[in-house]
Amino acid sequence: MSFTSLDLIDGLLRALESIGYKNATPIQKQAIPAVLAGRDLLAAAQTGTGKTAAFALPLLQRLALEGEQAAPNHIRCLVLVPTRELADQVFQSFQTYGFHLPLRSAVAYGGVPMEPQLVKLRKGVDVLVATPGRLLDLHRKGAIEFAQLQALVLDEADRMLDLGFAEDLDLLFSVLPAQRQTLLFSATMPEQIRQMASQLLRDPLTVQASAPNTTARTVRQSVFTTDKRHKPELFLHLMRKEGWGQVLVFVKTRKGVEHLVGLLQDEGVSADSIHGDKAQHARIKALKRFKANDVQVLVATDVAARGLDIEALPLVVNFDLPTVAEDYIHRIGRTGRAGAEGEAISLVCADEVDLLRAVEKLIGSVLPRQEEAGFEADHRVPSTGAAAAPAARPAAKAARGGAKPAKAAKPAAPVRDDTPRPAGGFGGLKEEMPPKEKPRSRGPMYGARGGSPGAGTGAAGRAGGRGSSAGAGGAGGGKVVVTATRGAKSTARAAGRAAAHAKPGGRGNKR
Ligand SMILES: Nc1ncnc2c1ncn2[C@@H]1O[C@H](COP(=O)(O)OP(=O)(O)OP(=O)(O)O)[C@@H](O)[C@H]1O
C-alpha cells in the first residue's frame, strides 16, 4: 500500500519520497489511519518493521494541522524512549520525516550538559524526544510545561520499567493533561506493557502486525554450546574461521564488555564498546564509528538492545544470554531489519540453561545447537527440548538458504515465526520496503522551525476513522489483529511497579 492512499499530507509524502520509502509496512498501514483518527493505540510489530514512522508520520501530520503553536517552554508531543542513543535516533527520524513541515523538534537525555537543552526548550517545541530521568529534571526546573501536550508516545516502555523508571513515569503521568492521545509501541508485549496500557490508554485499539514476541524470519538463529571459560577463544575462533565482518556483541556486564574489548584489541581486532559506565560522548562516538564501519566489533550491554537501527548489520552475537528473555528478541532484532537477511549466534554455557529455556519458551521454538571442535562443553548444557512448543514446519535452515553449521548438534526444531505470510518474503516487507537512500544530514541537534508548510491534502482525522484499520491485513501483510479494548485501571500501577522492581538493573542508562 502506498503512502498516498493513507491520506498523508504533501509535506510528509515529499519527505518519504526523498528517503526512498515507497510502500507502507504492515504496522504503518494499521497504525497511521488510527493515529490520524485520534485513537489511543497499543501497537506491536517485529523489530525493524518501521514502528517509528508508524507513530511519527501521523503525529507530525496532526501537529501540523491541529492545535496552537507551542508557547515558550511548552511541548505538544512527547516521545519517551529508554536510552539516549535511541532518543537521538528517533529525534533524527522526526527531523527527516518532518523536514518540510513548520515544526520544531528537540531531544533531551542525560549524560550531557543540560544548559543547551534549556535554551532550546525556552522557545517551546512541537516534538520532544526524551529519556524519562532528564525529562523530569527539566520539568522540575520549570523548563517543560505540559499544558499544551496533545500526544504522548511510549516507545519500548517495558525497558523503561526494567531500568527502574517506574516511579519517574508514575510521577510524570500524574502531571500530564488527561485529555491527550497516547500511543504505546513495542516489538514485545510482556505483561508490564499490557498493564501500563490498561492504566494509560483510553479506549485503545490494539494493533499486532505479527504474532506476539516473534523474531524476524530473516534472522538465522543458532546456539553454540561451550564452557564459560572458552567463550572468548570460541568467539575469536569463529570470527576468523567464518570471516565475520561487522558484528554487534552483547555481554551481560559492563566489566565483561570491557574485558572482551581489551581481548579483541590485543588480538588486533578493531573493537569499541557501549555501556552505562562510559561517558555519553564516547558512547555516541563508538556507535557512529560502528555505523560507519570504521570499527568491526561493537561490544555492548543491553543499553544497545533496543531500537538501534544499524544499516545492513549482518550479525549479532550473544556472548552472554540476556537475563530478561524479551531482550533476546530486541538484541537479535538489530540484524535482519527492513526485510534484510541476518544471523544471530548465542554462546551458551551450562550456567545459562535457564535463560536459554526462558528465551525458547518466549519465542516458541528450540534454538538449533552446534558445538565447535576444540571448544566442546565439559559441563554439558542440559537439553531444553521440552521448553518450547515444537515448531510446526520443516527445517528453517534449508528454507533460508542454509546455515553454516560447524558441527551438527542433535537436530533441533527450527526457529521461526509461524505468522501466516504471503510467499517470497518477510511478511511481504522485502517487497514493500525498497532499499532506502541515506537520510540527509540534518545539521544541529535541535530542529529549527523552517521550510514551507506542506500543502495539506487532508485534515487529520479524515483518514480511517475509529477502528478503520480493523481486519485490514493488507497486501503482503502478516497476520494483523486489531481489537478494541477498554482500559481497566486500578491495580495496574502497583502490579507494574512490582514487576519492574523484581528485575535487576540500575536506573536509567546505567546498564
Ligand atoms: N515504509 C518503509 N519503507 C522502507 N524503509 C522503511 C519503511 N519504514 C521504515 N523503514 C526503515 O526500516 C528500518 C527500521 O525501522 P524502525 O527503526 O522504525 O523499526 P522498528 O520497528 O522501530 O524496530 P525496533 O523494534 O528495533 O525499534 C529503518 O531503517 C527505517 O528507515
Side-chain angles (χ1 to χ4, degrees):
M1 179 191 271
S2 79
F3 285 102
T4 334
S5 43
L6 288 169
D7 267 350
L8 291 176
I9 55 178
D10 190 52
L12 292 173
L13 293 176
R14 278 196 287 144
L16 293 176
E17 201 186 333
S18 70
I19 54 170
Y21 290 12
K22 288 200 172 60
N23 293 306
T25 65
I27 189 66
Q28 291 163 0
K29 274 185 246 170
Q30 298 303 307
I32 290 172
V35 178
L36 286 176
R39 293 295 302 264
D40 280 8
L41 212 63
L42 174 60
Q46 283 176 345
T47 52
T49 57
K51 289 188 288 297
T52 315
F55 60 77
L57 292 170
L59 286 176
L60 283 164
Q61 176 149 328
R62 295 202 75 198
L63 292 165
L65 300 180
E66 295 170 29
E68 297 290 310
Q69 188 175 324
N73 289 115
H74 282 66
I75 63 173
R76 298 174 62 209
C77 171
L78 172 63
V79 183
L80 275 180
V81 298
T83 67
R84 299 162 185 174
E85 287 76 12
L86 185 56
D88 256 338
Q89 184 181 299
V90 170
F91 164 69
Q92 291 296 338
S93 298
F94 270 93
Q95 291 278 82
T96 303
Y97 303 141
F99 186 77
H100 300 289
L101 304 180
L103 299 170
R104 292 169 56 83
S105 309
V107 62
Y109 51 74
V112 294
M114 195 184 270
E115 187 56 29
Q117 298 172 357
L118 292 169
V119 171
K120 299 294 175 185
L121 286 164
R122 222 164 268 156
K123 286 184 187 158
V125 297
D126 298 290
V127 180
L128 177 67
V129 184
T131 52
R134 178 55 62 95
L135 179 87
L136 275 175
D137 289 346
L138 288 163
H139 176 60
R140 283 190 201 105
K141 284 192 179 307
I144 301 179
E145 298 295 335
F146 297 114
Q148 275 187 282
L149 192 87
Q150 291 171 229
L152 167 70
V153 182
L154 295 159
D155 195 14
E156 320 275 6
D158 57 320
R159 182 71 182 148
M160 291 188 251
L161 297 176
D162 287 346
L163 288 168
F165 280 128
E167 301 214 339
D168 283 352
L169 289 178
D170 274 352
L171 199 72
L172 175 71
F173 300 149
S174 71
V175 297
L176 297 183
Q179 202 49 250
R180 59 161 201 265
Q181 183 173 23
T182 307
L183 314 175
L184 254 154
F185 275 77
S186 184
T188 51
M189 271 300 144
E191 191 48 31
Q192 289 162 298
I193 291 215
R194 296 185 189 282
Q195 287 171 349
M196 199 181 222
S198 67
Q199 175 195 343
L200 290 177
L201 306 184
R202 266 181 312 114
D203 187 22
L205 275 181
T206 300
V207 179
Q208 280 187 191
S210 52
N213 299 327
T214 51
T215 52
R217 171 175 226 162
T218 49
V219 180
R220 201 167 60 229
Q221 301 169 57
S222 63
V223 159
F224 277 86
T225 52
T226 190
D227 287 328
K228 196 178 206 152
R229 67 198 157 96
H230 291 323
K231 281 190 180 185
E233 288 74 23
L234 174 58
F235 180 87
L236 265 165
H237 167 81
L238 289 173
M239 187 170 180
R240 288 178 178 144
K241 182 181 159 201
E242 303 291 328
W244 288 347
Q246 205 186 13
V247 48
L248 175 61
V249 188
F250 287 100
V251 175
K252 200 164 52 186
T253 64
R254 302 165 205 180
K255 214 170 136 196
V257 167
E258 285 309 325
H259 183 257
L260 183 60
V261 168
L263 196 141
L264 292 172
Q265 287 173 344
D266 288 349
E267 292 292 324
V269 177
S270 77
D272 208 338
S273 63
I274 292 191
H275 56 76
D277 278 346
K278 268 190 115 156
Q280 190 53 31
H281 69 87
R283 277 165 60 164
I284 291 170
K285 194 168 155 211
L287 184 59
K288 210 168 151 191
R289 289 177 65 214
F290 186 63
K291 281 185 170 182
N293 243 321
D294 290 341
V295 67
Q296 186 186 355
V297 182
L298 184 66
V299 189
T301 55
D302 278 308
V303 78
R306 300 279 180 139
L308 295 188
D309 191 48
I310 300 157
E311 202 173 337
L313 177 70
L315 175 65
V316 169
V317 171
N318 290 308
F319 190 86
D320 300 315
L321 282 179
T323 46
V324 178
E326 276 84 3
D327 284 341
Y328 175 84
I329 292 176
H330 293 279
R331 284 177 175 191
I332 73 162
R334 297 318 99 213
T335 182
R337 297 174 73 74
E341 298 280 319
E343 180 161 13
I345 292 174
S346 302
L347 310 185
V348 178
C349 62
D351 285 1
E352 293 174 301
V353 69
D354 289 341
L355 303 178
L356 180 61
R357 215 171 263 133
V359 166
E360 291 178 337
K361 190 168 177 216
L362 183 72
I363 63 174
S365 302
V366 177
L367 291 163
R369 290 189 185 194
Q370 311 177 54
E371 235 180 15
E372 183 68 4
F375 299 89
E376 296 91 345
D378 290 337
H379 301 281
R380 210 179 58 82
V381 182
S383 165
T384 49
R393 289 185 267 179
K397 246 181 214 171
R400 292 187 195 113
K404 286 189 258 169
K407 188 169 140 193
K410 258 199 133 0
V415 173
R416 60 189 314 148
D417 155 19
D418 282 334
T419 305
R421 292 183 174 85
F426 167 58
L429 273 180
K430 211 158 190 171
E431 294 76 37
E432 288 187 26
M433 296 177 96
K436 62 183 167 39
E437 291 166 25
K438 284 233 179 265
R440 277 165 299 207
S441 164
R442 306 305 308 271
M445 284 276 275
Y446 289 84
R449 193 174 277 273
S452 58
T457 55
R462 205 171 77 188
R466 287 198 164 233
S468 64
S469 50
K479 181 175 146 202
V480 177
V481 185
V482 181
T483 49
T485 46
R486 288 221 168 254
K489 317 246 178 212
S490 67
T491 53
R493 178 171 306 210
R497 208 183 273 141
H501 289 156
K503 297 256 165 77
R507 180 182 182 279
N509 290 280
K510 285 292 175 192
R511 265 179 113 150

